[in-house]
Structure formats: structure tokens, C-alpha cells
Amino acid sequence: IDIFFTLSVDTIGWKRLLTAVENSYVSINPYLIEFGDDKKPLVVSDHQEILGQLKLEKLPQIEHGLARHAINIRYQTKRKFMDASAGLGIVNIEEDGDGVLRRLPIISEVNGRLAPHFYLRLLCEHLSYKIENIEVVSKHKLILHDIPIGDAVKDIEIPLDGKGNVLINYISYDKIEKLSLSGKFKSVSAWDIITSGRPFTLEGKSVIFGDTSVPAKDHSITPIDQRMFNPLIYVIAMSNILNEEFITPARGYTTLLLVIGLLSLLMVLASNLDVLRFALISTGLLIGYIVFNFSAFIYLGKLIPILSVILPVITAFGYMLIYLVYQSQVTMGILEGSLKSYLSPHLMDKIKNDPDILKLGGERKRISVLFSDIAGFTSFTDKADPAEVQAVLEEYFSEMTSIVFANKGIVDKYMGDGIMAFFENPVDGVTSAQAAVKSAVEMQDKASELDKKYKVQNRFPFSVYVGIATGYAKVGNIGPPEKVDYTVIGSVVNRASRLDSAGTAGDILMDEDTYFFVKDDYEIEDFGSHELKGFEKPVQI
């Protein structure tokens, strides 16, 4: 009877009720206790009469600290009802911090005795089960030894949360509804029983009699329903025991181990993957953990921590991701700064926009190739100090390379005192020849400036040869995997190299294909046909 019969103005019918309770001797009545600190146990002398009424002498002893214990008896029903009861049970209900009821204190300690909750005491009475057979193994395990379930007698292990509470498996509520349809479980209004005009059979059944009226406020918020009457919650808890459908809460150290394990895995991933793969795999890992968590709860009844694990892991994941992005940017900056010494800005931009151009093999393109050499450089190196030769080369390479880069050319390589560069065409036009010739004119102008400067310094007369050829070549990353260069291969390269040495210092020599694209832009002199080394037919220059 989940109702406190205390002092009341309206006591009509109490005598008949008490007589019925005394005659049947099958009712379980409630009492409410106050839980307290382990260091403040209930003092027997303060509640001697009440403790006697609670029939503690019939309850088994429990080791102190295995369950929460009482420091006070808050409410109990009238003594006559307590004396006429077959047993008593606590009806304490404590919601979680968010106001949701997820657990019930299946056992508690009252003055060193095991005090069962109302629903457990009712179940024991229903099955004619002796409470003395209950063993509290630890804070996390309760065993009902030799409990009769149907035709079998078995031991049922009930997982606890460390405080004598059992997590309510509300999923079994669906089964209870099915039992209701089959007639094994039924919720009936007392008024319907009174007015039915026929006997209502309760033989062989457990009945929880409670006040479900709105003013009674005997309901709780649950994870599956906004409000549920507490008597029904007790039925669900009893069903959990009968069907052994428990939710096993994780131990305290489980959260720490999971956090350490997931963080270690994230660190391994962060050490071995790039930013994108780390982000994708780590996100999948976190989603997988949540899916695993819910699956373990629904199918295995295992309550594995979510928020207490996910929150620190997500925080660490965010930090690692930010750090990896920062590191990648730093690395990219360092790499870009280093590559600027090897690649032209134009090529750097192309690689950023289309990394596929770095694939081995290259592709066939129409390009213009430029070769430049210093006139008389061999004799200069024989007479000059190596430091002076280096200074001249550094200034020459720097000035000429800047000109090539300014015209979106690519310096392929330096060969002694020579420079090889090539110019590609954009997607929407053919400009390589114009860019190559424009670079060559600017290079000759710069050579004149350097010649004036070196004359003042009493150095050798400075002048350069320039040869330009236009045609098709293989362009891209070429070479074995051990040493790859972004370069060009084709006869157009050889032709430009031969043109470079065919004229005199200060000349810009070009082939017919180059001339075709720039003939309207410059005054160009026909140099005639010349036999070049490596070419069978004379080349028009």
C-alpha cells in the first residue's frame, strides 16, 4: 500500500481497512528515511519504538558502507497498520540533478540492518522469498540467492551503482504494456472496483495500491515519458528483477580509462595523419563511440559514460586539430619559403591551384625555351679570383631570374654561366613566345647596365648571348622517383641551346616559330639558314 496512513481528519473506513490488512497479512506498507553521512549513523535510543515497529530484527545485517544508511526516519504510517503488515519498505525516490528519475535505492542500511525498498520487499512477499537470502557482495553487486522464478530456483545478480541504487531499465516498459494487453499486468481505478458490482480477483497477483490523483503528486519525470506515476515505476523495477533485465553502470575508473584510451588513440592519429584525415577519422571515432555507447545500452544493458568521456575528448580533439592546422600552416610557410628558392612564383601558384601537375610523367605542351650565356666567361674565370667569379654569377643570376619571373617564366636550371628558362601558354591564349622575347630584351638591357657597372670596377666587358625556340615538348615532373625535376624534354630545348651560341654577344636569336608570334612587335633581322649541331636540316634564324 503506497500510501501513508498518518493523522487525518477523515478516518472513515480506516477500521475496515485495518481489519482487512490484519486478516490478510499480505500487505506491505511504506516508510521514508533520511540518508546521511557515513560518519553519522542512526542512534538506536532516539528511535527505539520506531525501529521496533519497523521489525528490524527480521532483517539481515549489512556491512557498514555497502549501502547508504539512514540518519533519521522522516515518515511512517500509523503503528497499527505497521504492526498488521507482512513487511515494510522504504519509498525513497531521488531524481538526478536534471530532475529525471533514473535509479532507485533498492537497499539501504537502517541501524546496521538491510532495509529493502518497497518494490523489493513486495517482490519478496509475492515469491515467498526470505530476505535473509539477500547478499550484498559489494557496492556494485547484490545477489538474490535461491530465488524462485517460475519453475526454477536461481541466483540473480543485480548490478548496483556503488550507493545501493539500481538503474531502472525503462526499456522493459514496452513489455509491461504487452503484459497489460495479455491480462498479466493491469492498471485499475479503485472507483471501477467499487462500482463494478462483481468480485475482482486478485489471487496470485501483486498489487500496488497508490494515489494517482493529480494533487498527490506521486509521479516522476523519466527518460521515456515526461511524467510517470511512481507505482508504475515500481512495477517496472520489479519486472527488471523477474526478467533479469538490468542496466549495469560503469565503475568509477571506467571513465578515466576510456578518456585515457581515446586520448591516446587521438594522439597516435594526430602523429601519423594529415589534418584532413585526422579530422575525418577522429570525427568518425567519436561518432562510433556514441553509436557503440547507445548500442551497448540498448542491446547489452551496459551504461557506458558519454558526456564525461566525450567532453574532454572533444576538447582535446579541438586542441589537436587547431595545433595540426597551425603546424601545417607553419610547415607550408617554411616549405613555400624554401621552394621559392627553387621554383618561380608562377609555378608555385600553379602547384597550389592544381597539385596534380606534380604527378610524374608530365604532359605535351607548346612552349618557348630561352637559353642565356655570358660571353667570354671562361677566360674571365681563369684570371679572376673565385670569390669575384661567385659575386658576378650571383648578381647575374639574380637579375636575370627576376626578369624571367616577372614575365611568368620558369627557370629550369643553371648550367655554369648559363640559364635555361621556359615559358608556358595560358589556357586561353598563346603568349609564350612574346613572354620569352620580352624577357630576352630586358635581359640584354640589364646586361648593358652590368657592363657599365663592371667597367667602372675594372672588370671584364660583360655581355650575354640569348637564344629562343618555340615548339612542343614534354613538360612536368620528369625523372626517376629518387630525383624528380619539373623540367622540359624535346628537340625545342636543343634548338634553343644551339641558337644561344650561333650569334655574337648582345644578340637575341630565335627560330621561325618564335618569329611568327612576335614579328609585328619588334624590328627583327633575318639571320639566314644555319646548320646547327644535332639537326639534319638547316635552321632559319
Side-chain angles (χ1 to χ4, degrees):
I1 302 175
D2 189 25
I3 295 176
F4 285 113
F5 293 100
T6 58
L7 296 177
S8 176
V9 175
D10 182 9
T11 59
I12 298 175
W14 276 30
K15 185 176 180 180
R16 289 178 58 194
L17 175 60
L18 180 59
T19 301
V21 169
E22 289 174 337
N23 292 339
S24 66
Y25 201 69
V26 294
S27 70
I28 306 298
N29 276 284
Y31 67 101
L32 190 67
I33 63 177
E34 178 183 353
F35 291 117
D37 194 286
D38 290 345
K39 298 178 181 179
K40 189 180 179 182
L42 184 66
V43 180
V44 177
S45 59
D46 295 343
H47 301 273
Q48 186 66 54
E49 182 180 356
I50 295 175
L51 292 173
Q53 295 170 18
L54 296 178
K55 306 176 181 180
L56 287 181
E57 69 278 358
K58 295 184 179 181
L59 299 177
Q61 291 184 335
I62 182 174
E63 183 181 339
H64 184 69
L66 292 182
R68 298 176 70 189
H69 69 279
I71 61 171
N72 191 21
I73 307 297
R74 296 292 300 274
Y75 298 102
Q76 68 280 340
T77 198
K78 288 183 69 68
R79 178 167 183 172
K80 289 183 179 180
F81 285 98
M82 295 173 69
D83 290 340
S85 300
L88 302 170
I90 64 171
V91 286
N92 290 66
I93 288 181
E94 293 185 1
E95 296 87 357
D96 289 345
D98 57 359
V100 178
L101 182 66
R102 296 185 177 90
R103 64 198 77 220
L104 284 174
I106 187 171
I107 57 169
S108 61
E109 177 197 341
V110 178
N111 203 45
R113 298 282 180 170
L114 185 150
H117 198 278
F118 180 79
Y119 69 90
L120 178 59
R121 188 65 183 83
L122 174 60
L123 184 62
C124 291
E125 184 66 24
H126 177 78
L127 299 174
S128 300
Y129 180 74
K130 295 181 179 180
I131 297 179
E132 292 83 353
N133 291 336
I134 298 176
E135 179 188 4
V136 185
V137 179
S138 68
K139 291 182 177 182
H140 301 281
K141 183 189 292 186
L142 174 74
I143 299 179
L144 305 180
H145 290 288
D146 301 325
I147 186 169
I149 304 293
D151 297 330
V153 176
K154 60 171 71 173
D155 291 350
I156 294 181
E157 295 185 1
I158 302 177
L160 305 178
D161 68 348
K163 296 182 179 180
N165 298 320
V166 62
L167 291 170
I168 309 167
N169 188 354
Y170 285 102
I171 296 176
S172 63
Y173 181 49
D174 293 335
K175 293 185 177 180
I176 291 176
E177 288 185 315
K178 292 177 182 178
L179 290 175
S180 177
L181 295 175
S182 65
K184 295 181 179 179
F185 164 80
K186 196 168 187 179
S187 178
V188 183
S189 165
W191 180 253
D192 291 340
I193 296 177
I194 294 171
T195 59
S196 64
R198 58 183 177 80
F200 197 85
T201 304
L202 300 176
E203 185 179 356
K205 297 183 182 296
S206 286
V207 179
I208 297 180
F209 190 86
D211 187 352
T212 58
S213 63
V214 175
K217 297 182 180 179
D218 192 21
H219 51 70
S220 301
I221 297 176
T222 68
I224 64 170
D225 197 14
Q226 187 65 15
R227 293 183 186 277
M228 186 179 288
F229 290 111
N230 289 330
L232 178 56
I233 294 176
Y234 298 155
V235 172
I236 295 174
M238 292 170 65
S239 173
N240 292 164
I241 297 174
L242 290 171
N243 296 305
E244 298 184 67
E245 296 175 332
F246 303 113
I247 297 175
T248 304
R251 300 289 182 89
Y253 57 80
T254 304
T255 300
L256 180 61
L257 292 178
L258 286 171
V259 170
I260 293 175
L262 289 174
L263 288 181
S264 301
L265 187 55
L266 285 181
M267 292 178 66
V268 171
L269 293 175
S271 302
N272 294 278
L273 300 175
D274 56 37
V275 178
L276 180 59
R277 291 182 179 178
F278 170 75
L280 293 176
I281 294 178
S282 298
T283 302
L285 177 67
L286 294 175
I287 294 174
Y289 175 78
I290 295 174
V291 172
F292 165 76
N293 190 293
F294 278 97
S295 299
F297 176 77
I298 294 172
Y299 299 108
L300 302 177
K302 304 293 184 182
L303 184 62
I304 303 173
I306 295 184
L307 289 180
S308 56
V309 173
I310 287 293
L311 289 180
V313 172
I314 287 179
T315 302
F317 165 70
Y319 171 79
M320 291 181 187
L321 187 61
I322 292 172
Y323 178 77
L324 286 177
V325 171
Y326 170 75
Q327 283 292 96
S328 66
Q329 293 299 316
V330 171
T331 303
M332 183 62 71
I334 295 173
L335 181 62
E336 185 174 339
S338 300
L339 289 177
K340 283 181 179 178
S341 301
Y342 299 92
L343 305 176
S344 70
H346 177 61
L347 181 56
M348 282 290 296
D349 291 338
K350 288 183 63 177
I351 293 174
K352 287 180 183 179
N353 297 327
D354 184 16
D356 288 341
I357 68 174
L358 294 178
K359 292 180 180 179
L360 287 176
E363 59 180 316
R364 186 171 181 268
K365 293 181 179 180
R366 186 181 185 88
I367 62 171
S368 296
V369 181
L370 179 150
F371 271 85
S372 170
D373 286 302
I374 300 175
F377 187 74
T378 302
S379 59
F380 168 66
T381 55
D382 287 339
K383 302 175 183 178
D385 182 83
E388 183 181 5
V389 174
Q390 181 180 356
V392 171
L393 281 178
E394 287 181 354
E395 185 172 20
Y396 161 65
F397 286 149
S398 176
E399 296 290 352
M400 301 308 175
T401 298
S402 296
I403 292 172
V404 172
F405 285 174
N407 291 288
K408 296 184 178 181
I410 297 171
V411 174
D412 186 285
K413 59 178 66 73
Y414 302 112
M415 301 168 292
D417 63 316
I419 298 174
M420 173 187 169
F422 64 92
F423 300 81
E424 298 182 61
N425 292 300
V427 178
D428 56 350
V430 181
T431 62
S432 63
Q434 289 94 330
V437 174
K438 184 173 185 293
S439 297
V441 172
E442 293 175 3
M443 290 169 74
Q444 290 292 11
D445 291 341
K446 180 58 66 175
S448 299
E449 294 179 13
L450 292 176
D451 181 50
K452 294 177 182 178
K453 176 180 177 180
Y454 292 158
K455 284 180 179 178
V456 174
Q457 298 174 353
N458 292 321
R459 287 179 177 174
F460 76 110
F462 187 86
S463 59
V464 298
Y465 304 95
V466 179
I468 302 171
T470 298
Y472 286 94
K474 200 70 173 294
V475 182
N477 273 349
I478 298 172
E482 294 78 13
K483 178 64 173 73
V484 178
D485 284 322
Y486 191 86
T487 186
V488 292
I489 293 178
S491 62
V492 65
V493 179
N494 298 331
R495 189 161 66 250
S497 175
R498 298 293 181 244
L499 289 172
D500 173 40
S501 57
T504 57
D507 284 345
I508 299 173
L509 303 183
M510 68 186 76
D511 63 357
E512 282 188 292
D513 288 340
T514 305
Y515 168 75
F516 176 80
F517 290 102
V518 298
K519 59 185 178 181
D520 297 329
D521 302 325
Y522 301 91
E523 292 183 4
I524 300 174
E525 180 182 343
D526 186 353
F527 196 58
S529 296
H530 291 261
E531 292 185 357
L532 301 180
K533 183 179 179 181
F535 290 86
E536 295 180 358
K537 297 180 179 179
V539 177
Q540 185 70 23
I541 304 177

